[in-house]
Amino acid sequence: MQPEIQQQIQQLRQQLQEASYAYYVLDAPIMPDEVYDRLYRQLQDLESDYPELITAESPTQRVGEQPATQFFSVKHNIPLYSLENAFNFEEFAKWQERWQRVAPSLTPGQEGNAPPLTPPYQGGGQEGNAPGLSNKKNRETTPPLSKGGLGGVSYVCELKIDGSALALTYENGVLVRGATRGDGIAGEEITQNVKTIRSIPLKLNLDNPPPFVEVRGEAFLSLAVFEEINREREKAGEQLFANPRNAAAGTLRQLDSKIVDKRRLDFFAYTLHLDEGNEEKTQWDSLELLRRMGFKVNPNRKICYSLDEVREYYEYWDTERRNLPYMTDGVVVKINSVLLQRQLGFTQRFPRWAIALKYPAAEVPTIVEAVTVQVGRTGALTPVAELKPVQLAGTTVSRASLHNSDRLSDLNLHIGDTVIVRKAGEIIPEVVRVLPELRPQNAQLFQMPSCCPECEQPVVREKGEAVTRCINTSCPAILRGSLIHFCSRDALDINGVGEKLVQQMVDSNLVHSAADLYDLTAERLMSLERMGKKLAEKLVSAIANSKTQPWSRVLYALGIRHVGSVNAQLLTERFTNVTDLASASAAAIEGVYGIGPEIAQSVYQWFQVPANQSLIARLKIAGLQLQSEVKNQNLASTNLQLAGKTFVLTGTLPTLKRDEAKDLIQKAGGKVTSSVSAKTDYVVVGEDAGSKLEKAQSLGIELLSEAELLELLSTP
């Protein structure tokens, strides 16, 4: 291999990378398109002659040659939490009060370096000034606590882009994985499609990149591209996309990356995760580092030191967002200090240090033609308005939630009323208000039924609750909902058992509980309409395969109120078998980190019900996993040297990645947590260890190097 060939290839890649960054990120082209195309062809020819020199970060590798056959689920390195929503400033102020109640006392200087405040938008000179948003004065020091202020804490405000969230993983500066958000714990691996997005660098623009970088951001379609795609689909006689968000999500799930490339998705980065010790001090600094790495960061961001400034930013973009080339549905407000973010942590669903301040959704009038009542798997009765179909936010809406009895009472809803409908969170249609002046004569007031519309048993409404419930555990609606949940993808993932089949099985009296699924035979299933032998055998096999799902999924599948997949995981880590959990007191359950009193009481009460105890007994006989794998092993075994020991990892280890070290510890029976406490047995310390090392030293916890950890693992 001639060194000049390698040098030429490297030089071409560098030129193309710089040109792509200037064009797609800076919006400031540095070379004509025909020059870029000529250089690109030169690189293609050289890589064709010397295929051994092709690397993943080469610009020629953005578009795959062969379509994918399917996407695979991958667990996120770091969970993707949702954001709590606020729909007005009263809700925003309450959120601020909540985090301030749990925040530790702040001292000056915790925030790190704040950017200069003139002009109001920072980011390397791309943004310029926007009218109506100039700061009243420059601040050289953190402002004092004052009425309506933030007590020395600044916020970073960013526009909430209406697209599809992505998680990007870089190792040694090279993009190795791109994944969709999914359920926040796991998503679909779509790396080849992610590579087609030109504003996502294949290689970070850093001379010495960290070994691990995780970037979060939003893939989206500009309004111009969206309209162009729909024009082409209309010409081809294809169904039009409802809105840019749906189009972006659908594009990312195309199996052929060439189609994705043609759709010209764009990307804004907004979150940066680095190994502890390499983190920036503030969210603002993280955004600046993302920009230096080669990402496009939304230019319309601002640092705010008071609620008035947050309101000013929010109100300005409520009007100006209509002039943006992409859709935005609100403002994301984040506490600037990374240290304070870490101290505040997360609830089960949201980070405590960030919130989405949403803009009011579009509202349209329509007529209520009828009201039906749905019964959910928990027995909750939900009234639903059947509407004269109307277009709302890009979709046709013919039904809208009325929530509960209290909401109905507030609305004073009559059949035939003209109502105003909007999408709650821009997703779920809901009735906002009634226009009584347009009410027809003799219109009938709708009232909630006193008996369940499914089983005709009396319904109840607990004191202090807004929800009316059916408490008949044999109610067909509750059974259907429970079975659908039990078989769902995030629960036992029984392929082929969906809503229609569940409806058939319940109506035919084939199943009366989830345990009955495991007694089904192909012959019994063939009694159902349109059920052939081959399909019946396939379903029986899928049901049998579900027996291998782990204890955490089984617990989630039971459908205990308030127990989602994350809570199920937390509970099964503490209670490693169903017997321990079923016999635990409410106080013991509440003792699990992240489990509150309402969840604990719900779990405790569920296991006191005889029918539920019977269900667990039958599932145990059927062979489902009702205990964790570690519990099945002999804790005295030499393969579980670390049983009962709790570890914390901090800093960068010499040879092991953090996930690898965590996996080794867990396979040896140990537990790895994210924070140091008096219950921690060992802290494994790597290079550039941070505050966890200091806390461990103050508590007198034993410290281990990587070599000492490996020695501990090898000791019988």
Side-chain angles (χ1 to χ4, degrees), residues 569-582:
Q569 185 66 47
L570 292 172
L571 287 166
T572 54
E573 286 177 3
R574 167 61 180 83
F575 300 99
T576 54
N577 61 66
V578 71
T579 304
D580 289 349
L581 181 57

Side-chain angles (χ1 to χ4, degrees), residues 13-27:
R13 288 175 182 165
Q14 184 67 26
Q15 288 176 314
L16 291 169
Q17 182 177 336
E18 291 174 356
S20 183
Y21 174 70
Y23 186 91
Y24 292 104
V25 177
L26 301 181
D27 196 22

